[in-house]
Amino acid sequence: MSERMTLPAYRRDPEGTHPPLDSPAYRSTVLRHPKQPLVLLPQRLTEVTGPLLGPGRIGPQDNDLTRQREGEPVGQRILVHGRLLDGDGSPVRNSLVEIWQANAAGRYRHTGDRWPAPLDPNFDGVGRTLTDEDGRYEFLTVKPGAYPWANHDNAWRPAHIHFSVFGSAFTQRLVTQMYFPDDPLFDQDPIFNSVPDPKARERMISRFDLSRTVESWALAFEFDIVLRGREASVFEDEEET
Amino acid sequence: MTANLGSTPSQTVGPFLSIGLPWTDGPAVTADEDTDAVWIRGVVSDGAGEPVPDALVETWQADQDGRFDHPDDPRGAVPGFRGFGRCPTEPDGSYAIRTVLPGAVPGQAPHIDVSVFARGLLNRVVTRIYFPEHADQHRTDPVLLGVPAQRRHTLIAVPTGDGYRFDVRLQGEDETVFFDV
């Protein structure tokens, strides 16, 4: 029996877009990067499909990190908004966006975070939302602080928010970090600088958005996330033996 | 003309992913009452053979008939099976996913796609789980045939009392085969 299937395919990103798994300046990669070459996997049915995670995953206040506890968290309120797009500029609709971050003092609500900055009883630092029909999302949160880490002498992470997105195919799955404009810590940060292409690196930096600031309430930053675009459909001939 | 926008780069999940990513029902790909359920258990370890306690394992698979709940399946979406599992590792590096054995998709042996995220991984690594009872289909599976013969065993789960064991070795001896998708 032979089957002829029309499958979408996703463009591979140019060299330099994503960090090499072996990035010695980020010390934790040393024992965790594969040493054997990656095996090229042609995109087949399992790779061009992917989980479509929708409304069942979201509670009513999951995108407002300032209202998940009794009181308000300390820190500067910020509205973080943007669009989830594929490389062709098409919106990725009704798609799960997850974030996690440190509090305004740069501390995570995690037992492993031993940095002696205060925990905020009113801040969990976890948010979820769905993109709308235009691929738009927004979160209300507080600006995370920078924090020290043991990677190198006097190492500090630039302020950042972790983002997790799925797109519509296994090939598009992405976890990234959103940074803030003009952070003085960029130059010494091996995680930010692990991205070889400087233009790609800049795509992780949000834009201050005066138009979306909220009068006497919150600053605003815009951060679009772009996933791999589709190539023209290809035919896949497969013989079952 | 369509735009060709540059992709946003990948970054590590960092050490504190467990505050943001896990779900209570994440490891349950199939319902608790499903009598066909199997456990896939394993340990994620690093190049020193040490367990990785700050990793997350995600799985994506077809249902028992080899179908996906997805509009881009050219045979049509079959709704009802999430197909997705997600489990953070414990302090001993272990994870566990409760699921059903996938059916074969056309031209391929039954398999599960896996992503592993962790501190120290600037991008996810991707692998596949195959099952030992499909040895005949493995001889013609186009993805397995693309893997050097002496490394294929790292992609085949090992039977256990309640399912299978699939360890992920990020580096070193018997390093798991990882794919560029």
Side-chain angles (χ1 to χ4, degrees), chain A residues 177-194:
Chain A
Q177 299 182 21
M178 182 199 104
Y179 297 92
F180 293 86
D182 304 321
D183 195 312
L185 295 168
F186 286 149
D187 284 350
Q188 59 79 59
D189 183 53
I191 294 182
F192 175 76
N193 290 302
S194 66

PDB file of all heavy atoms in Angstrom, chain A residues 177-194:
ATOM      1  N   GLN A 177      13.726  33.977  26.501  1.00  0.00           N
ATOM      2  CA  GLN A 177      13.693  34.960  27.580  1.00  0.00           C
ATOM      3  C   GLN A 177      13.504  36.331  26.949  1.00  0.00           C
ATOM      4  O   GLN A 177      14.133  36.639  25.939  1.00  0.00           O
ATOM      5  CB  GLN A 177      14.995  34.924  28.396  1.00  0.00           C
ATOM      6  CG  GLN A 177      15.235  33.571  29.060  1.00  0.00           C
ATOM      7  CD  GLN A 177      16.499  33.519  29.911  1.00  0.00           C
ATOM      8  OE1 GLN A 177      17.029  34.533  30.348  1.00  0.00           O
ATOM      9  NE2 GLN A 177      16.977  32.310  30.160  1.00  0.00           N
ATOM     10  N   MET A 178      12.629  37.122  27.557  1.00  0.00           N
ATOM     11  CA  MET A 178      12.430  38.505  27.142  1.00  0.00           C
ATOM     12  C   MET A 178      13.274  39.412  28.016  1.00  0.00           C
ATOM     13  O   MET A 178      13.218  39.324  29.241  1.00  0.00           O
ATOM     14  CB  MET A 178      10.957  38.903  27.309  1.00  0.00           C
ATOM     15  CG  MET A 178      10.659  40.323  26.852  1.00  0.00           C
ATOM     16  SD  MET A 178       9.108  40.996  27.540  1.00  0.00           S
ATOM     17  CE  MET A 178       9.779  42.091  28.809  1.00  0.00           C
ATOM     18  N   TYR A 179      14.064  40.278  27.380  1.00  0.00           N
ATOM     19  CA  TYR A 179      14.900  41.221  28.121  1.00  0.00           C
ATOM     20  C   TYR A 179      14.340  42.634  27.970  1.00  0.00           C
ATOM     21  O   TYR A 179      13.443  42.887  27.159  1.00  0.00           O
ATOM     22  CB  TYR A 179      16.336  41.158  27.595  1.00  0.00           C
ATOM     23  CG  TYR A 179      16.989  39.804  27.804  1.00  0.00           C
ATOM     24  CD1 TYR A 179      16.919  38.812  26.820  1.00  0.00           C
ATOM     25  CD2 TYR A 179      17.652  39.514  28.982  1.00  0.00           C
ATOM     26  CE1 TYR A 179      17.509  37.567  27.007  1.00  0.00           C
ATOM     27  CE2 TYR A 179      18.250  38.274  29.177  1.00  0.00           C
ATOM     28  CZ  TYR A 179      18.179  37.301  28.186  1.00  0.00           C
ATOM     29  OH  TYR A 179      18.764  36.072  28.382  1.00  0.00           O
ATOM     30  N   PHE A 180      14.901  43.562  28.752  1.00  0.00           N
ATOM     31  CA  PHE A 180      14.427  44.950  28.748  1.00  0.00           C
ATOM     32  C   PHE A 180      15.444  45.847  28.046  1.00  0.00           C
ATOM     33  O   PHE A 180      16.661  45.582  28.097  1.00  0.00           O
ATOM     34  CB  PHE A 180      14.179  45.413  30.188  1.00  0.00           C
ATOM     35  CG  PHE A 180      13.023  44.683  30.831  1.00  0.00           C
ATOM     36  CD1 PHE A 180      13.214  43.468  31.469  1.00  0.00           C
ATOM     37  CD2 PHE A 180      11.732  45.202  30.754  1.00  0.00           C
ATOM     38  CE1 PHE A 180      12.141  42.772  32.027  1.00  0.00           C
ATOM     39  CE2 PHE A 180      10.657  44.521  31.317  1.00  0.00           C
ATOM     40  CZ  PHE A 180      10.867  43.299  31.951  1.00  0.00           C
ATOM     41  N   PRO A 181      14.949  46.916  27.413  1.00  0.00           N
ATOM     42  CA  PRO A 181      15.859  47.760  26.620  1.00  0.00           C
ATOM     43  C   PRO A 181      16.979  48.364  27.473  1.00  0.00           C
ATOM     44  O   PRO A 181      16.775  48.683  28.651  1.00  0.00           O
ATOM     45  CB  PRO A 181      14.946  48.871  26.084  1.00  0.00           C
ATOM     46  CG  PRO A 181      13.543  48.457  26.360  1.00  0.00           C
ATOM     47  CD  PRO A 181      13.566  47.385  27.393  1.00  0.00           C
ATOM     48  N   ASP A 182      18.139  48.532  26.866  1.00  0.00           N
ATOM     49  CA  ASP A 182      19.249  49.289  27.451  1.00  0.00           C
ATOM     50  C   ASP A 182      19.723  48.740  28.785  1.00  0.00           C
ATOM     51  O   ASP A 182      20.161  49.494  29.659  1.00  0.00           O
ATOM     52  CB  ASP A 182      18.849  50.770  27.640  1.00  0.00           C
ATOM     53  CG  ASP A 182      18.401  51.394  26.333  1.00  0.00           C
ATOM     54  OD1 ASP A 182      19.032  51.079  25.304  1.00  0.00           O
ATOM     55  OD2 ASP A 182      17.414  52.158  26.331  1.00  0.00           O
ATOM     56  N   ASP A 183      19.638  47.440  28.973  1.00  0.00           N
ATOM     57  CA  ASP A 183      20.090  46.867  30.238  1.00  0.00           C
ATOM     58  C   ASP A 183      21.621  46.925  30.297  1.00  0.00           C
ATOM     59  O   ASP A 183      22.296  46.448  29.380  1.00  0.00           O
ATOM     60  CB  ASP A 183      19.599  45.421  30.346  1.00  0.00           C
ATOM     61  CG  ASP A 183      19.704  44.882  31.755  1.00  0.00           C
ATOM     62  OD1 ASP A 183      20.781  45.043  32.365  1.00  0.00           O
ATOM     63  OD2 ASP A 183      18.730  44.296  32.248  1.00  0.00           O
ATOM     64  N   PRO A 184      22.183  47.496  31.359  1.00  0.00           N
ATOM     65  CA  PRO A 184      23.650  47.596  31.426  1.00  0.00           C
ATOM     66  C   PRO A 184      24.346  46.250  31.637  1.00  0.00           C
ATOM     67  O   PRO A 184      25.574  46.164  31.555  1.00  0.00           O
ATOM     68  CB  PRO A 184      23.889  48.512  32.641  1.00  0.00           C
ATOM     69  CG  PRO A 184      22.666  48.356  33.476  1.00  0.00           C
ATOM     70  CD  PRO A 184      21.530  48.099  32.528  1.00  0.00           C
ATOM     71  N   LEU A 185      23.564  45.197  31.895  1.00  0.00           N
ATOM     72  CA  LEU A 185      24.177  43.902  32.195  1.00  0.00           C
ATOM     73  C   LEU A 185      24.344  43.003  30.971  1.00  0.00           C
ATOM     74  O   LEU A 185      24.906  41.913  31.076  1.00  0.00           O
ATOM     75  CB  LEU A 185      23.338  43.175  33.256  1.00  0.00           C
ATOM     76  CG  LEU A 185      23.314  43.861  34.618  1.00  0.00           C
ATOM     77  CD1 LEU A 185      22.245  43.251  35.515  1.00  0.00           C
ATOM     78  CD2 LEU A 185      24.682  43.760  35.286  1.00  0.00           C
ATOM     79  N   PHE A 186      23.859  43.431  29.819  1.00  0.00           N
ATOM     80  CA  PHE A 186      23.939  42.560  28.639  1.00  0.00           C
ATOM     81  C   PHE A 186      25.362  42.097  28.336  1.00  0.00           C
ATOM     82  O   PHE A 186      25.610  40.924  28.070  1.00  0.00           O
ATOM     83  CB  PHE A 186      23.398  43.275  27.388  1.00  0.00           C
ATOM     84  CG  PHE A 186      21.903  43.412  27.340  1.00  0.00           C
ATOM     85  CD1 PHE A 186      21.314  44.509  26.710  1.00  0.00           C
ATOM     86  CD2 PHE A 186      21.080  42.456  27.901  1.00  0.00           C
ATOM     87  CE1 PHE A 186      19.934  44.638  26.655  1.00  0.00           C
ATOM     88  CE2 PHE A 186      19.693  42.580  27.848  1.00  0.00           C
ATOM     89  CZ  PHE A 186      19.127  43.683  27.220  1.00  0.00           C
ATOM     90  N   ASP A 187      26.311  43.042  28.366  1.00  0.00           N
ATOM     91  CA  ASP A 187      27.652  42.738  27.869  1.00  0.00           C
ATOM     92  C   ASP A 187      28.348  41.607  28.622  1.00  0.00           C
ATOM     93  O   ASP A 187      29.204  40.934  28.074  1.00  0.00           O
ATOM     94  CB  ASP A 187      28.548  43.988  27.942  1.00  0.00           C
ATOM     95  CG  ASP A 187      28.212  44.961  26.829  1.00  0.00           C
ATOM     96  OD1 ASP A 187      27.436  44.565  25.928  1.00  0.00           O
ATOM     97  OD2 ASP A 187      28.703  46.092  26.863  1.00  0.00           O
ATOM     98  N   GLN A 188      27.989  41.435  29.888  1.00  0.00           N
ATOM     99  CA  GLN A 188      28.687  40.408  30.660  1.00  0.00           C
ATOM    100  C   GLN A 188      27.853  39.135  30.841  1.00  0.00           C
ATOM    101  O   GLN A 188      28.260  38.240  31.575  1.00  0.00           O
ATOM    102  CB  GLN A 188      29.131  40.981  32.019  1.00  0.00           C
ATOM    103  CG  GLN A 188      28.003  41.507  32.910  1.00  0.00           C
ATOM    104  CD  GLN A 188      27.235  40.439  33.640  1.00  0.00           C
ATOM    105  OE1 GLN A 188      27.794  39.673  34.410  1.00  0.00           O
ATOM    106  NE2 GLN A 188      25.921  40.362  33.378  1.00  0.00           N
ATOM    107  N   ASP A 189      26.728  39.033  30.140  1.00  0.00           N
ATOM    108  CA  ASP A 189      25.848  37.889  30.379  1.00  0.00           C
ATOM    109  C   ASP A 189      26.018  36.810  29.313  1.00  0.00           C
ATOM    110  O   ASP A 189      25.662  37.003  28.152  1.00  0.00           O
ATOM    111  CB  ASP A 189      24.385  38.328  30.410  1.00  0.00           C
ATOM    112  CG  ASP A 189      23.476  37.159  30.738  1.00  0.00           C
ATOM    113  OD1 ASP A 189      23.718  36.496  31.765  1.00  0.00           O
ATOM    114  OD2 ASP A 189      22.548  36.874  29.951  1.00  0.00           O
ATOM    115  N   PRO A 190      26.568  35.643  29.700  1.00  0.00           N
ATOM    116  CA  PRO A 190      26.824  34.604  28.694  1.00  0.00           C
ATOM    117  C   PRO A 190      25.556  33.948  28.151  1.00  0.00           C
ATOM    118  O   PRO A 190      25.602  33.329  27.089  1.00  0.00           O
ATOM    119  CB  PRO A 190      27.682  33.586  29.449  1.00  0.00           C
ATOM    120  CG  PRO A 190      27.392  33.819  30.886  1.00  0.00           C
ATOM    121  CD  PRO A 190      27.029  35.259  31.033  1.00  0.00           C
ATOM    122  N   ILE A 191      24.443  34.062  28.856  1.00  0.00           N
ATOM    123  CA  ILE A 191      23.209  33.447  28.334  1.00  0.00           C
ATOM    124  C   ILE A 191      22.647  34.320  27.212  1.00  0.00           C
ATOM    125  O   ILE A 191      22.385  33.850  26.097  1.00  0.00           O
ATOM    126  CB  ILE A 191      22.196  33.208  29.469  1.00  0.00           C
ATOM    127  CG1 ILE A 191      22.767  32.143  30.419  1.00  0.00           C
ATOM    128  CG2 ILE A 191      20.843  32.790  28.904  1.00  0.00           C
ATOM    129  CD1 ILE A 191      21.868  31.763  31.568  1.00  0.00           C
ATOM    130  N   PHE A 192      22.503  35.613  27.481  1.00  0.00           N
ATOM    131  CA  PHE A 192      22.070  36.537  26.423  1.00  0.00           C
ATOM    132  C   PHE A 192      23.017  36.460  25.228  1.00  0.00           C
ATOM    133  O   PHE A 192      22.597  36.352  24.071  1.00  0.00           O
ATOM    134  CB  PHE A 192      22.022  37.957  27.003  1.00  0.00           C
ATOM    135  CG  PHE A 192      21.709  39.025  25.994  1.00  0.00           C
ATOM    136  CD1 PHE A 192      20.414  39.203  25.540  1.00  0.00           C
ATOM    137  CD2 PHE A 192      22.707  39.864  25.517  1.00  0.00           C
ATOM    138  CE1 PHE A 192      20.118  40.191  24.603  1.00  0.00           C
ATOM    139  CE2 PHE A 192      22.421  40.859  24.591  1.00  0.00           C
ATOM    140  CZ  PHE A 192      21.127  41.023  24.129  1.00  0.00           C
ATOM    141  N   ASN A 193      24.326  36.461  25.508  1.00  0.00           N
ATOM    142  CA  ASN A 193      25.317  36.493  24.429  1.00  0.00           C
ATOM    143  C   ASN A 193      25.575  35.135  23.789  1.00  0.00           C
ATOM    144  O   ASN A 193      26.396  35.034  22.874  1.00  0.00           O
ATOM    145  CB  ASN A 193      26.628  37.094  24.945  1.00  0.00           C
ATOM    146  CG  ASN A 193      26.484  38.577  25.220  1.00  0.00           C
ATOM    147  OD1 ASN A 193      26.141  39.353  24.334  1.00  0.00           O
ATOM    148  ND2 ASN A 193      26.694  38.981  26.470  1.00  0.00           N
ATOM    149  N   SER A 194      24.878  34.113  24.250  1.00  0.00           N
ATOM    150  CA  SER A 194      25.049  32.793  23.622  1.00  0.00           C
ATOM    151  C   SER A 194      24.472  32.765  22.211  1.00  0.00           C
ATOM    152  O   SER A 194      24.799  31.888  21.425  1.00  0.00           O
ATOM    153  CB  SER A 194      24.373  31.713  24.471  1.00  0.00           C
ATOM    154  OG  SER A 194      22.958  31.894  24.474  1.00  0.00           O
TER     155      SER A 194
END
